[in-house]
Amino acid sequence: MTSAPRPPLGRSLLRLFTVQGSWNYERLQGIGVGVAEEPLLRDLQAAGNGAAYRAAVARGAHFFNAHPYLCGLAVGAAARAEHEGATPNQVERLRSALCGPLGSLGDRLVWAGWLPVTSGLALIGVALGLGMGAILGFLVVYNVGHVALRWWALRAGWAHGVRVAAALHQPFLQRAAAWSGPAMALVVGAALPLSTGYLAAGFTGWARGLLFGAARP
């Protein structure tokens, strides 16, 4: 792997939080991904290669769609590939190849795992009397988790470049994806009866029976 300048990953990470702010039906997340990638490409311009910089920024804004928490993997990988002299066709193929895997992995890790698990734990905490502490705990834990995932994805993409597929085979990702479904089922299964009982505390007699009946699937 050729040497590359120290990248402004922090600036790119901040831009990744707005990656869906310019979502549209033509390029989906493409423009947001291009905006996030731009800080990592400025060294091309600084080296006097303005044409390469402009072409790379334009490619970064082409069509792209994946899980918003993991699209940093494509941002870092594409930017590193540009620095290593990959052809435009190679960069385009790299971006296209990452859409499906990053979307699928993100859905399993976050929407079907981390989000319902942390939400369920917050509901359990409220039902057990923790009140606002449970809600604040959810906000802290959930956000720390997804920010850490975004940061890992961006760094892994930059570290691997065109060989970024190796990052998707990290053991911790495989274990997390395997356990996300069972963990979600366990936590949500415990949260539903506890939450229903908590909400029914103010009802008596037939009203409580109606509430429990309405809560049944």
Side-chain angles (χ1 to χ4, degrees):
M1 183 179 294
T2 61
S3 61
R6 183 178 179 85
L9 293 178
R11 189 175 303 164
S12 182
L13 176 68
L14 290 177
R15 294 189 179 195
L16 280 170
F17 286 103
T18 65
V19 74
Q20 299 196 102
S22 54
W23 193 97
N24 61 76
Y25 286 103
E26 179 183 359
R27 302 188 185 189
L28 299 186
Q29 297 172 340
I31 295 177
V33 166
V35 169
E37 187 178 342
E38 188 274 336
L40 304 179
L41 300 172
R42 290 181 188 175
D43 288 315
L44 297 176
Q45 187 179 40
N49 200 342
Y53 164 77
R54 290 189 293 273
V57 170
R59 277 190 292 275
H62 288 177
F63 175 91
F64 189 81
N65 190 44
H67 195 280
Y69 294 177
L70 286 175
C71 61
L73 196 76
V75 167
R80 185 62 179 265
E82 298 281 5
H83 279 284
E84 293 179 339
T87 66
N89 191 40
Q90 287 176 316
V91 175
E92 294 284 7
R93 288 204 310 268
L94 174 66
R95 286 165 48 90
S96 298
L98 287 173
C99 287
L102 294 183
S104 174
L105 180 62
D107 286 348
R108 284 184 291 154
L109 286 178
V110 182
W111 302 152
W114 189 242
L115 179 58
V117 166
T118 52
S119 300
L121 290 174
L123 290 173
I124 292 173
V126 170
L128 295 178
L130 297 181
M132 284 299 299
I135 298 172
L136 293 175
F138 159 75
L139 292 174
V140 170
V141 172
Y142 175 75
N143 284 294
V144 166
H146 87 74
V147 171
L149 182 61
R150 289 176 186 265
W151 179 239
W152 170 84
L154 182 60
R155 292 187 63 190
W158 177 262
H160 290 86
V162 294
R163 294 164 288 276
V164 73
L168 296 176
H169 293 90
Q170 292 287 337
F172 84 91
L173 281 182
Q174 303 302 318
R175 289 194 295 268
W179 281 97
S180 60
M184 180 271 291
L186 176 64
V187 172
V188 173
L192 285 175
L194 289 173
S195 300
T196 302
Y198 173 79
L199 294 173
F203 294 84
T204 58
W206 61 270
R208 177 175 294 189
L210 286 177
L211 180 63
F212 274 99
R216 293 181 61 188

